[in-house]
Amino acid sequence: MLNAFIIVWRESLEAMLVIGILAAWATGRGGGVRTGLWSGVAAGAALAVALAAVMQGTLGSLSDRGQEIFQALLILFAAALMTHMVLWMRRHARGLRREMEGALDRAAELRGAWGIAAVAALAVSREGAETVIFLQGIATGSGWGALLPSALAGFGAAALTAWAAARGLRLLPQHQVLRVSANLLLLFAAGMLVLGTDRLIGMEWIPPGIDPLWDTSALLDDGRGLGKWLADLFGYRARPAAADVLVFFGFWALMAAQRWWPGRARHRVKA
């Protein structure tokens, strides 16, 4: 599944870039610092795996109705978290190295190797936790087994991309790679919002409005072929309810406003 591949690739790439920053900072600072760093990386990965296990255990212990509610809320939470992550990275990507190195310097002064381990664990577990939540959000219909090949391929692609970036290959400019992947993640987030809206309508938590608002199934059916691919990835619906349409276009209106308004605000401050 392309969405699982892109999500794991993007999140793994970010984690690898963060680890690269940490490793560069630790160079020449002694064995204790390096041990703390890699111990923290391992702990962060373990925390992400533990989160996946807890989520699966929680889901298995719920009733059918409870699972339905849990999955719907998780889909919406994953979409919100994905959107927040993309917007946060847009604002902080340029200063990420400086922020990470500053945090490491403060941690080293206060807690030594344990402080370094804590910073590394938090950085890696954050990326891992986001990956787990995103994948759980899209695995509600197919299960983790169906996502595993794509997830492994995404991890391998992230390792290759990180290696190429580290080698300074101009074919893979880091800022362009992250920009394209961020736009893809926003498309996935919009699709997940539509899926979550469908779940809420099915549970009768929100009214569907006019249903369907239109019917394009004769042109592009969302149950097979290209239409199903677009439905799974980006939330296309051949027969959408009015609520689906409102959520989808409302999301993109907010994204457009977010890109426009901060620039206007900065212009006014400078003026």
Side-chain angles (χ1 to χ4, degrees):
M1 299 175 68
L2 181 60
N3 46 2
F5 174 87
I6 295 294
I7 286 170
V8 173
W9 169 65
R10 165 69 188 234
E11 294 300 310
S12 299
L13 177 59
E14 286 185 9
M16 291 173 187
L17 293 175
V18 168
I19 292 171
I21 293 171
L22 300 178
W25 176 89
T27 301
R29 292 180 180 261
V33 170
R34 291 194 298 272
T35 299
L37 168 63
W38 293 110
S39 297
V41 170
L47 285 172
V49 172
L51 176 62
V54 168
M55 292 181 68
Q56 286 297 102
T58 300
L59 190 59
S61 67
L62 298 174
S63 65
D64 291 343
R65 179 64 173 177
Q67 290 187 20
E68 187 179 9
I69 294 173
F70 180 83
Q71 290 173 353
L73 295 179
L74 181 61
I75 290 169
L76 294 173
F77 177 70
L81 182 61
M82 188 178 296
T83 303
H84 177 269
M85 182 268 293
V86 170
L87 298 181
W88 186 90
M89 284 298 296
R90 282 179 175 174
R91 291 193 298 269
H92 295 88
R94 291 184 178 179
L96 181 60
R97 176 181 289 272
R98 184 172 59 254
E99 292 177 10
M100 288 295 304
E101 290 178 346
L104 287 166
D105 288 334
R106 291 190 296 271
E109 291 175 2
L110 294 175
R111 300 294 181 183
W114 285 106
I116 303 305
V119 172
L122 288 173
V124 174
S125 63
R126 175 183 177 273
E127 302 296 340
E130 287 177 350
T131 304
V132 168
I133 293 172
F134 297 160
L135 291 181
Q136 184 67 57
I138 64 176
T140 54
S142 56
W144 282 81
L147 301 181
L148 185 59
S150 297
L152 291 176
F155 184 82
L160 181 61
T161 306
W163 173 84
R167 300 289 291 183
L169 297 184
R170 295 183 178 180
L171 294 176
L172 291 172
Q174 179 182 325
H175 67 283
Q176 291 292 348
V177 169
L178 294 178
R179 180 181 302 172
V180 171
S181 63
N183 290 332
L184 282 172
L185 289 180
L186 287 179
L187 287 169
F188 296 156
M192 293 177 74
L193 283 175
V194 173
L195 177 59
T197 302
D198 285 340
R199 297 292 182 97
L200 295 182
I201 291 173
M203 294 187 300
E204 299 183 347
W205 281 22
I206 62 173
I210 302 173
D211 188 13
L213 190 60
W214 63 68
D215 186 353
T216 57
S217 56
L219 297 174
L220 187 61
D221 188 1
D222 60 13
R224 54 190 174 85
L226 177 61
K228 187 176 189 309
W229 187 78
L230 293 174
D232 292 339
L233 289 179
F234 308 128
Y236 167 72
R237 296 293 184 269
R239 294 168 53 86
D244 290 329
V245 175
L246 180 63
V247 166
F248 183 84
F249 286 103
F251 172 81
W252 288 113
L254 287 174
M255 292 303 99
Q258 188 277 332
R259 291 298 298 270
W260 176 81
W261 177 251
R264 293 281 293 185
R266 285 194 297 269
H267 178 73
R268 288 175 182 174
V269 169
K270 291 179 181 179

